[in-house]
Amino acid sequence: MPTKRIGLYPGSFDPVTNGHLDIAERAFKLCDELHIAVVANPSKNPLFSVEERVDLLKQTTKHLKNVKVSSFEGLLVDYAKEIKANIIFRGLRAVSDFEYEFQMALINRNLHKEIEVVFLVPNEKFIFLSSSSIKEVAKLGGDVSGFVPAVVKRALRDLK
Ligand code: PNS
């Protein structure tokens, strides 16, 4: 019997952007079950709490059946083992992402031999998007419509 493809799309998602959702939709099509997991890493000093980030992801991925949104602490590969994921999905926007992602993929593979890392390329209209730039634009009063879903836009506005 073919192995069930259980995908894990991890990230900080602080907050989720339209670029993340584009990757989630692509990953969703490639596996039988998709987990989107928010890393609980307080050292990154996130703008939104883990609970808020999970909640925003849940609201914005409702249309994708069989997607589970959760959070994890510690090593990504340990969480992958816990949920029996056999594919890790990561988005690649530009060459500048590559070195960090390549290093992380190889470390993860050394830590967990059975996991496969799959890089997905977003629609080119999201190539320039990052959560950090969105936070800066929102903080300085710019319009983030088109970059993030409406619920995220509201959440950013409510922070002010
Ligand atoms: O959205 P991000 O911040 O680029 O996501 C980074 C993430 C969550 C994938 C990465 O920081 C991670 O896997 N953290 C868990 C700790 C870990 O497993 N580190 C070893 C891999 S180098």
Side-chain angles (χ1 to χ4, degrees):
M1 204 173 80
T3 318
K4 190 174 175 192
R5 284 160 306 176
I6 305 179
L8 170 58
Y9 177 31
S12 300
F13 303 109
D14 183 40
V16 58
T17 67
N18 288 341
H20 291 132
L21 294 175
D22 179 274
I23 295 293
E25 281 167 15
R26 289 170 201 280
F28 171 75
K29 286 192 240 158
L30 297 173
C31 52
D32 303 303
E33 185 180 308
L34 179 66
H35 294 252
I36 305 180
V38 173
V39 67
N41 182 1
S43 67
K44 272 200 167 177
N45 205 9
L47 184 62
F48 291 98
S49 70
V50 173
E51 295 72 26
E52 287 167 329
R53 287 180 274 155
V54 166
D55 183 54
L56 289 172
L57 271 163
K58 280 188 178 161
Q59 292 189 58
T60 50
T61 57
K62 271 197 298 232
H63 60 297
L64 303 174
K65 301 273 169 276
N66 237 355
V67 164
K68 298 182 171 72
V69 182
S70 58
S71 62
F72 72 101
E73 279 179 56
L75 282 178
L76 175 62
V77 288
D78 288 341
Y79 188 60
K81 284 179 194 164
E82 188 185 318
I83 61 169
K84 299 188 169 40
N86 39 26
I87 314 171
I88 290 174
F89 290 103
R90 291 286 291 169
L92 268 191
R93 289 162 303 186
V95 181
S96 50
D97 282 343
F98 182 74
E99 194 159 336
Y100 168 65
E101 293 297 336
F102 186 62
Q103 217 174 57
M104 208 159 55
L106 290 178
I107 291 175
N108 286 335
R109 183 187 282 166
N110 273 273
L111 293 170
H112 181 8
K113 302 274 177 285
E114 284 85 53
I115 203 95
E116 220 38 83
V117 178
V118 172
F119 294 119
L120 296 174
V121 176
N123 185 304
E124 59 271 23
K125 63 183 188 216
F126 302 127
I127 286 289
F128 60 92
L129 263 189
S130 74
S131 297
S132 351
S133 49
I134 298 304
K135 283 184 277 193
E136 183 160 334
V137 171
K139 196 172 140 199
L140 299 173
D143 184 8
V144 293
S145 317
F147 302 152
V148 293
V151 274
V152 174
K153 185 180 166 183
R154 279 198 294 277
L156 284 163
R157 197 190 50 208
D158 293 348
L159 282 176
K160 284 193 197 155

